[in-house]
Amino acid sequence: MPQTDMNDSAHSAKHFDPEANRKHEPEPVSTATVHTVGQDSPWEVGAHMIAALDNAFILGYPYLIMAFLGWGAGSTLFILFGFLSFYCNCCLCRLHGYGGHRNIRFRDLAGNVFGKFGYYLTFTLQWLNLLCANVGLVVLCGQSLKGVFELYDPEKYFSLAEWIVVAGAVIGLFAISVPNLHLLRVWSSLSCLLVLIFSIIAIAISCHDGRNNYNAETMETGPKDYGVVGTSADKAFNALGSLGTMAFAYNTVILPEIQATVRAPAARNMITKTLPMMYLIGTLPFLLISFIGYWAYGNGVGYNILYSNSGPTWAIALAYVAAAAQIVVSFHIYACPIYETMDTAWGRKQEGTWSIFNFSERFITRVIYLVLTTFVAALLPFFGDFIALTGSLSALPLDFVLVLAMTLKVYGKSSPMWLNIINGGVR
């Protein structure tokens, strides 16, 4: 836990300057860590954020969000969640230096604001989010590899579980080779290129199919239905699941850990550079895929839009490969808070990142973690439920409720006006 007194959580806003440490290098951190802190540019950190935001989960949003909510509710909630998410993340970034040091973990910040209860609640919810996200990414990576194989050799059959094992092995090799987020910055930039590849392919084919009235269910030309189908109970259940998926779409529960890598002044760099980059550029792929995919196929869109695309085969295969490769990087970003905890607990900082002992520690702990997540992933046939579960149980409380509560706790009446309006509305 943080080395500061977490029971003293009554700091007032007038004593807290988010830029107080901007002229002092190196800045103190909340607790010791073996990972690199404060070395990356805002743009490199922005690449991390986009790689986490635009992983291959976005290929399922036309089905998991738009088909369950329809045009009106779906598009409205995308916009509302986007604005609320941006504001909450700005608040969270401003709190990075709370307590006179850089809070390099979400749980450290929550502990400094709310004490031990906040620390352990945040620890639990964040790790639930990360574990669910990692399991879902392994499933999706296996589905992507399986999709490529079936495009060119549909006669041979390999189960999804077998492809998930292959995906877990590839992710594991990458995890061992890249120790921390600082050394991931080049890979995150490459990941953005991979996002661009599979997004352009999915959008381009969807536009072609939409103009030609291609029906993904019948695989022929025909009308499309944009209504929300199902009984009243089904509609209500699916709508709730879509809200969880929406929360995951803007999921930034690792923002404090990613902000820990940015150069000082951390709050200013994140709010003026990284977050605008993330929301102006990073949200475009999943918004376009969601809206265009739903327009092209209606409520008959597949739970992965590539399943609905008509072709050509080589383009869909390329999109699958790009999606699978991007997942390898995205998985690492979501797993880094867990890796950091294990490396700090069992590694030796004085020996350096590539010492035999530290490499052995990473090899053992990360292999164990990948074996566990791959085993759980192999038991699951679909990834959609994991998105909804992750969003409803952990992303919503962490990304929105906890952040607003911490902001009100720290700033009180000096909070931004519309935040006080929200607070007054929920009393």
Side-chain angles (χ1 to χ4, degrees):
M1 294 197 317
Q3 295 173 341
T4 57
D5 182 5
M6 293 194 307
N7 292 320
D8 182 17
S9 58
H11 301 280
S12 65
K14 66 181 181 180
H15 296 304
F16 171 53
D17 176 8
E19 299 297 340
N21 290 320
R22 64 181 177 270
K23 295 182 180 179
H24 303 284
E25 296 288 353
E27 296 177 280
V29 297
S30 51
T31 55
T33 179
V34 298
H35 285 198
T36 305
V37 175
Q39 297 297 315
D40 296 342
S41 72
W43 315 118
E44 290 170 334
V45 175
H48 292 326
M49 299 297 295
I50 292 175
L53 191 73
D54 285 325
N55 56 61
F57 275 135
I58 68 177
L59 296 172
Y61 291 168
Y63 171 77
L64 294 169
I65 296 177
M66 296 302 297
F68 288 162
L69 295 176
W71 278 120
S75 55
T76 301
L77 286 175
F78 259 125
I79 295 172
L80 290 177
F81 266 79
F83 279 109
L84 181 58
S85 173
F86 176 75
Y87 179 76
C88 288
N89 283 333
C90 287
C91 291
L92 186 58
C93 288
R94 283 179 58 83
L95 293 171
H96 184 69
Y98 181 72
H101 51 248
R102 299 186 67 157
N103 292 280
I104 61 174
R105 305 177 188 90
F106 206 154
R107 61 183 184 271
D108 292 352
L109 175 58
N112 282 322
V113 176
F114 289 119
K116 292 182 179 180
F117 175 78
Y119 180 93
Y120 288 111
L121 177 63
T122 303
F123 179 87
T124 302
L125 290 177
Q126 186 190 42
W127 277 46
L128 173 65
N129 183 286
L130 300 178
L131 289 169
C132 289
N134 283 159
V135 169
L137 286 169
V138 176
V139 173
L140 191 53
C141 188
Q143 288 178 337
S144 299
L145 295 175
K146 187 173 186 286
V148 176
F149 184 81
E150 291 181 343
L151 283 174
Y152 290 101
D153 198 351
E155 300 299 326
K156 291 185 179 180
Y157 176 78
F158 291 94
S159 68
L160 177 59
E162 292 174 301
W163 286 110
I164 286 174
V165 172
V166 174
V170 174
I171 293 172
L173 290 174
F174 185 81
I176 296 168
S177 305
V178 183
N180 52 52
L181 277 174
H182 175 64
L183 296 177
L184 189 69
R185 60 194 188 279
V186 175
W187 294 102
S188 292
S189 300
L190 177 60
S191 173
C192 294
L193 176 61
L194 295 173
V195 171
L196 190 64
I197 291 173
F198 70 72
S199 296
I200 288 177
I201 291 174
I203 291 169
I205 297 177
S206 296
C207 287
H208 175 270
D209 292 345
R211 288 197 306 268
N212 291 282
N213 291 318
Y214 176 77
N215 190 305
E217 292 182 304
T218 63
M219 300 181 68
E220 297 176 354
T221 301
K224 296 178 286 289
D225 182 10
Y226 295 104
V228 180
V229 299
T231 64
S232 297
D234 290 336
K235 291 179 181 178
F237 180 81
N238 290 335
L240 290 175
S242 295
L243 292 178
T245 305
M246 189 79 72
F248 187 85
Y250 293 100
N251 186 8
T252 51
V253 298
I254 54 175
L255 181 62
E257 285 81 1
I258 292 179
Q259 187 176 2
T261 68
V262 74
R263 298 169 189 158
R268 179 180 299 175
N269 280 334
M270 290 294 291
I271 293 173
T272 62
K273 298 176 183 177
T274 300
L275 289 182
M277 174 183 174
M278 169 186 166
Y279 283 92
L280 292 177
I281 300 175
T283 59
L284 281 178
F286 72 73
L287 289 175
L288 290 175
I289 287 175
S290 298
F291 295 147
I292 294 176
Y294 184 60
W295 164 77
Y297 307 109
N299 57 29
V301 63
Y303 67 88
N304 183 326
I305 194 174
L306 297 179
Y307 295 166
S308 299
N309 288 162
S310 62
T313 299
W314 67 266
I316 297 177
L318 178 59
Y320 275 132
V321 171
Q326 195 278 338
I327 287 172
V328 175
V329 179
S330 186
F331 182 102
H332 198 75
I333 293 174
Y334 278 104
C336 263
I338 297 175
Y339 294 159
E340 187 275 332
T341 299
M342 295 188 295
D343 294 346
T344 299
W346 297 310
R348 294 176 180 174
K349 186 175 183 179
Q350 67 275 14
E351 293 190 9
T353 301
W354 296 104
S355 70
I356 295 177
F357 181 90
N358 285 336
F359 179 82
S360 300
E361 176 272 325
R362 286 198 305 274
F363 181 88
I364 294 171
T365 56
R366 297 185 187 190
V367 166
I368 292 174
Y369 178 72
L370 262 299
V371 168
L372 291 175
T373 53
T374 302
F375 175 75
V376 174
L379 301 177
L380 302 173
F382 304 108
F383 67 90
D385 291 339
F386 259 91
I387 304 178
L389 177 66
T390 301
S392 59
L393 293 183
S394 55
L396 275 172
L398 286 176
D399 283 343
F400 303 105
V401 179
L402 179 62
V403 172
L404 293 178
M406 289 193 298
T407 301
L408 289 167
K409 176 74 172 179
V410 172
Y411 289 100
K413 293 183 179 180
S414 64
S415 302
M417 181 178 67
W418 80 275
L419 181 57
N420 283 326
I421 294 174
I422 293 175
N423 183 45
V426 298
R427 283 179 178 175

